[in-house]
Amino acid sequence: MTNSRSRLIFTLIVLNITVLLALGLILGQLFKSYFLHTFNERLEKEALFISMYIKENGGLDEFFKEGKADNFTRILDSNLTIISKYGSILFDSNEKKEEYREEHQKMISSILDKRDMESEGFKVSDGGNDLHYYWKEIESGGEIEGYVILNNQLGVIKEANRQMWGILTVSLGSALILIIMLGVKIASRYTRPIEAATKTAIELAKGNYKARTYEEQSDETGMLSTSLNKLARNLQEMEVARAMQQDRLVTLIENIGSSVLLIDNKGYITLINRSYKQIFKVDGSNFLYKLYYEVIQHKEIIQIIEEIFVTEKSLKRQLILPVGLERKHFEVYGAPIIGTNDEWKGILIVFHDISELKKLEQMRKDFVANVSHELKTPITSIKGFSETLLDGALNDKDTLENFLGIILKESDRLQILIQELLDLSKIEQHEFALNIEKIDLKVLLKETCAILDGKAQQKEIELNLEAPGHPVYVEGDSFRLKQTFINLITNGLTYTPNNGRVDVNIADQRESVRIEIKDTGIGIEKEELPRIFERFYRVDRARSRNSGGTGLGLAIVKHIVEAHHGRIHVESEVGQGSTFIVELNK
C-alpha cells in the first residue's frame, strides 16, 4: 500500500505541476499581451496628443519657437521625431542614441515610404532592439504640415514581464508546495485506513482471525474499517466454534469404544480412530490415504465394503476375525455417506468388539449347564435310592441305613450348593456390603487352622501356620475373610495326598499383608490357571465331586478378596503343589 500511496501522491504532484505550468503560461501570455497593448495604445494616444497640440497651438513653427519638443520628450518618456511634409527631419530625439541609430533611420525611411498611403500607423523594427513606432500626421489650416513619430523600446515591458514571471513563479511555486502538502496529508488521511484495512484483510486471508484495523473516522473509510472488524470478529467466532466442534468430534471419535473406519468415494481411507489402531495393531502413517483393499488384511471386511459400494445400503454383520494370536468377535456396521443432492461421499464402517459379550454369553450357558448338572446329580441319587426303598428295601435294616446315609449326604451336598449359589449371588450384587472392622489376621488364621485341623489329621497332613510374633491388623470383614481362608485351606487339604503338607504363612509388609497357602498336592496345569476362579470350574472333576466340592469356592474367594480391594493369584506346578497368594491392604 505504500507504493499505492506514493503513486497517488506522484500523480497528484504531476497533475498540479502540469496545471500550474499551463496556468503560468496562460497568465504570462495574457499579461504580456495586456502590457504590449497598453504600450502601443500609450504611443498612439501620445502621438495623437502631440499632433492635436501642434494643430491647436499655431503649427510647427510656433511649436519649435517655444522649444516644446524637448519638454514633450522628457514628459512623455518616449523618443520624438517630427518630419515635414516633404520628408525632412525637423526634430529627432533619437540622434543621441548610438546603439540603434542605424535601425532608427531605416524605420524613419520605411515610415516616409508609407506616409502617402497611411495617415497614421504602427510599425515594429526588425532589429534586435525591439523598437515600436507610431506616427500621426500633423494638420494645420486643413493641410498636412508634417508627421509626428513616437518610438520607444520594450525594455520596460520586458522588465515588467520578468517581474511578472518572478511573481508568478513564486506564487505558483508556493501554491504547488501548499497543494502538495495538503495532497500528501489528504492522501495519507484516506489511504492509511485503506492500508490498514488491506493488511487486516491479508491477515484474515492467512487465517489470523485476531487481526483488527483502527476505527478512527466516521466516513466511508471508517465504515470500511468497522465492517472489516465485524467480519473479523464473526470469522473469529466461527473459527472458535468450528475448532470446538472439531475438538469435540476428534475427542468423540478418538475415545469412542468402537473402532471407526472412514473411506472416501474413491476408496481411499481418510480416517481411523485410536481404537482401530489398538485393536488391529496398524500404523496410521502406513494406513491413511491408501486404497482400502491394499492395506486391509481381512477379506471379510473388504467384502462388506465392496457390498456397500455396490448396493449403497447399510448392513450389519457379526464376524470372527483373527487379531494377533486371538480370535475376536465383532459386530460390524457399515453405512454409505450420501450428502445433499444424492452426492456419494464415501463409507463409514464401525466395529463393535463383542468378544467379552460372547464370552459372558458362553459363561452364562456353561453356568446354566453346570448348575443343571450339579443339581441333577444329587437329586437323581436321592430319587433313585428313595424309589429303591419304596420298592421293598425298607425291611432290610442294613440297606435302609446305608441308603438313608447316602440320601443325607446328597441332601447336604445339595444344601451346600444352593447356599454357595446364594452367597455368590449376594456377593456379586452392587448392594453387597462388608462389615468392616479391625482384625488381627494372626488370630483369625489360628482359629481357621483349628477348625480344619481335624480334617488334616484324618489324611495325616501336616497343617502349619507361620506368623510374625506381633499382631497383624487389617481392615476387613472377619466372617468373609474367615470364609475365604477356610475355602483356600480346604482346597489345599483336599488336593494334597495323605502324609502331605499345607503351610500358611503371614508376611507383614509396609502397606499390605501377604498370606500364602502352600500345599504339596497334585498341582494345576499351566493352561488351566487363568480359569480356576471361574464358577463350576474344576481341575479334577471326579475328585472334586467325590470330595463334596461344588466348583464355586474359588469364585467366592476371588469376589471377597476384590471386595476388600485386595489381590489374589496362584502359582503352581503339576506334581509339586500350588501356592495361593492373597494380598490385603492394611
Side-chain angles (χ1 to χ4, degrees):
M1 281 305 295
T2 303
N3 292 332
S4 300
R5 187 196 299 182
S6 301
R7 287 196 297 269
L8 178 61
I9 294 173
F10 178 75
T11 303
L12 182 62
I13 291 173
V14 171
L15 180 61
N16 286 327
I17 291 174
T18 303
V19 171
L20 291 177
L21 284 176
L23 180 61
L25 291 173
I26 293 172
L27 289 176
Q29 284 299 118
L30 288 175
F31 286 147
K32 184 177 180 181
S33 298
Y34 173 75
F35 286 145
L36 188 59
H37 176 73
T38 303
F39 179 78
N40 290 332
E41 188 177 6
R42 174 192 165 193
L43 287 179
E44 180 182 358
K45 288 180 178 180
E46 289 176 352
L48 179 60
F49 171 74
I50 294 173
S51 175
M52 294 297 295
Y53 181 85
I54 294 173
K55 179 180 179 181
E56 293 175 357
N57 289 280
L60 289 174
D61 293 335
E62 293 294 326
F63 182 75
F64 287 121
K65 286 180 180 179
E66 297 178 1
K68 293 181 180 179
D70 292 329
N71 294 334
F72 272 101
T73 301
R74 288 192 300 269
I75 293 171
L76 299 178
D77 195 21
S78 296
N79 298 313
L80 176 63
T81 302
I82 297 177
I83 304 174
S84 68
K85 63 180 178 179
Y86 302 109
S88 60
I89 298 174
L90 303 177
F91 178 83
D92 190 358
S93 62
N94 292 283
E95 292 180 353
K96 300 178 180 180
K97 305 290 180 67
E98 297 292 337
E99 63 271 19
Y100 56 84
R101 178 180 296 175
E102 184 177 352
E103 185 176 352
H104 175 67
Q105 290 176 355
K106 291 181 180 180
M107 288 298 297
I108 293 299
S109 298
S110 176
I111 291 171
L112 289 175
D113 293 338
K114 293 182 179 181
R115 69 182 187 276
D116 294 334
M117 294 179 293
E118 298 177 2
S119 61
E120 59 180 329
F122 281 105
K123 189 170 182 59
V124 181
S125 67
D126 296 331
N129 293 299
D130 199 12
L131 294 172
H132 282 235
Y133 287 81
Y134 186 84
W135 73 92
K136 175 70 174 172
E137 62 184 13
I138 302 172
E139 293 181 359
S140 179
E143 296 181 358
I144 297 174
E145 189 176 6
Y147 296 91
V148 59
I149 302 173
L150 286 178
N151 72 288
N152 207 339
Q153 284 184 304
L154 287 178
V156 177
I157 296 178
K158 289 183 178 180
E159 181 64 26
N161 194 39
R162 281 195 296 270
Q163 293 177 0
M164 177 200 67
W165 275 110
I167 293 171
L168 282 177
T169 302
V170 172
S171 301
L172 296 179
S174 300
L176 178 62
I177 294 173
L178 182 61
I179 291 173
I180 290 173
M181 292 175 62
L182 291 175
V184 170
K185 186 174 182 179
I186 294 172
S188 299
R189 175 183 175 84
Y190 284 97
T191 58
R192 188 180 295 111
I194 298 175
E195 290 178 5
T198 303
K199 292 179 181 178
T200 303
I202 292 173
E203 290 297 318
L204 292 177
K206 292 179 181 178
N208 179 18
Y209 300 126
K210 295 181 180 179
R212 297 290 185 274
T213 185
Y214 295 105
E215 301 177 13
E216 298 177 349
Q217 304 174 15
S218 59
D219 54 5
E220 288 78 5
T221 56
M223 293 173 62
L224 173 63
S225 300
T226 302
S227 301
L228 192 61
N229 285 340
K230 287 182 180 179
L231 175 63
R233 281 191 289 270
N234 292 336
L235 288 175
Q236 186 177 10
E237 292 173 0
M238 291 173 61
E239 176 63 17
V240 170
R242 188 200 65 79
M244 291 177 61
Q245 189 71 17
Q246 183 72 14
D247 290 341
R248 290 173 184 169
L249 183 61
V250 171
T251 302
L252 176 64
I253 292 175
E254 288 297 324
N255 295 284
I256 194 172
S258 303
S259 302
V260 177
L261 177 67
L262 188 64
I263 303 173
D264 66 10
N265 57 352
K266 296 181 180 179
Y268 288 91
I269 297 173
T270 58
L271 184 144
I272 54 174
N273 67 344
R274 185 185 305 164
S275 177
Y276 189 95
K277 297 175 186 176
Q278 292 174 349
I279 291 177
F280 292 98
K281 297 178 176 57
V282 298
D283 185 6
S285 59
N286 297 327
F287 208 79
L288 290 173
Y289 310 109
K290 303 289 180 63
L291 290 170
Y292 68 90
Y293 52 80
E294 293 179 353
V295 292
I296 296 177
Q297 303 297 323
H298 302 95
K299 294 181 179 179
E300 298 90 340
I301 300 176
I302 295 176
Q303 290 175 356
I304 290 175
I305 295 172
E306 291 176 347
E307 183 174 343
I308 296 173
F309 267 115
V310 173
T311 62
E312 298 185 4
K313 294 181 179 180
S314 302
L315 60 83
K316 182 168 65 174
R317 289 182 186 170
Q318 290 190 2
L319 301 177
I320 301 176
L321 301 176
V323 180
L325 300 177
E326 301 180 77
R327 292 177 66 83
K328 289 182 174 288
H329 293 260
F330 291 97
E331 185 176 65
V332 182
Y333 176 79
I337 304 174
I338 300 176
T340 56
N341 301 323
D342 296 330
E343 181 185 1
W344 178 269
K345 292 190 174 182
I347 294 176
L348 176 67
I349 308 292
V350 180
F351 299 84
H352 300 289
D353 188 354
I354 57 174
S355 300
E356 289 297 325
L357 293 176
K358 289 292 184 180
K359 184 178 179 181
L360 291 174
E361 184 181 353
Q362 187 61 40
M363 289 176 64
R364 181 183 61 80
K365 292 178 181 178
D366 293 343
F367 177 75
V368 173
N370 287 329
V371 169
S372 302
H373 180 73
E374 294 295 335
L375 290 174
K376 181 180 179 182
T377 301
I379 290 173
T380 302
S381 298
I382 292 171
K383 181 180 179 182
F385 285 113
S386 299
E387 290 175 348
T388 302
L389 290 174
L390 291 174
D391 289 340
L394 288 172
N395 297 325
D396 188 345
K397 186 177 180 180
D398 293 337
T399 303
L400 177 61
E401 290 179 355
N402 186 26
F403 280 12
L404 289 176
I406 294 173
I407 291 173
L408 178 62
K409 182 179 178 182
E410 293 297 331
S411 299
D412 290 340
R413 180 181 169 192
L414 185 60
Q415 182 182 2
I416 293 171
L417 176 61
I418 293 172
Q419 185 61 47
E420 289 190 345
L421 283 171
L422 291 174
D423 288 344
L424 183 61
S425 176
K426 183 185 293 185
I427 291 171
E428 288 181 341
Q429 289 177 358
H430 294 292
E431 294 82 6
F432 174 69
L434 298 173
N435 185 19
I436 301 297
E437 57 184 344
K438 195 172 185 179
I439 305 169
D440 185 353
L441 277 181
K442 182 177 177 182
V443 174
L444 186 141
L445 284 171
K446 279 183 179 181
E447 294 174 355
T448 304
C449 290
I451 293 171
L452 299 174
D453 189 57
K455 185 175 182 178
Q457 291 180 2
Q458 289 178 4
K459 296 185 67 175
E460 298 180 354
I461 294 174
E462 184 179 348
L463 179 58
N464 298 318
L465 173 63
E466 295 183 7
H470 57 81
V472 181
Y473 293 105
V474 295
E475 298 285 335
D477 188 326
S478 59
F479 174 75
R480 293 299 182 182
L481 288 178
K482 184 178 288 188
Q483 181 184 2
T484 297
F485 293 121
I486 287 174
N487 263 306
L488 293 175
I489 296 173
T490 299
N491 281 347
L493 295 174
T494 300
Y495 293 99
T496 299
N498 294 349
N499 300 316
R501 181 185 179 93
V502 175
D503 295 320
V504 180
N505 298 322
I506 303 174
D508 190 2
Q509 300 175 345
R510 172 182 280 184
E511 297 180 355
S512 62
V513 178
R514 180 185 175 96
I515 304 99
E516 294 183 0
I517 295 95
K518 184 177 182 180
D519 62 58
T520 58
I522 60 175
I524 306 170
E525 295 284 349
K526 185 176 181 181
E527 59 271 13
E528 292 181 335
L529 288 176
R531 299 192 61 190
I532 61 171
F533 293 104
E534 294 179 7
R535 291 168 290 187
F536 295 110
Y537 186 79
R538 293 186 178 91
V539 176
D540 187 343
R541 291 185 177 273
R543 186 168 183 176
S544 298
R545 188 171 291 111
N546 291 335
S547 64
T550 62
L552 295 173
L554 289 179
I556 294 173
V557 166
K558 181 182 179 184
H559 281 87
I560 292 175
V561 172
E562 289 179 349
H564 283 81
H565 304 290
R567 295 166 296 281
I568 182 170
H569 63 281
V570 60
E571 298 173 356
S572 181
E573 292 184 15
V574 177
Q576 300 295 322
S578 303
T579 302
F580 284 84
I581 302 167
V582 178
E583 293 184 15
L584 298 173
N585 298 324
K586 289 185 177 180

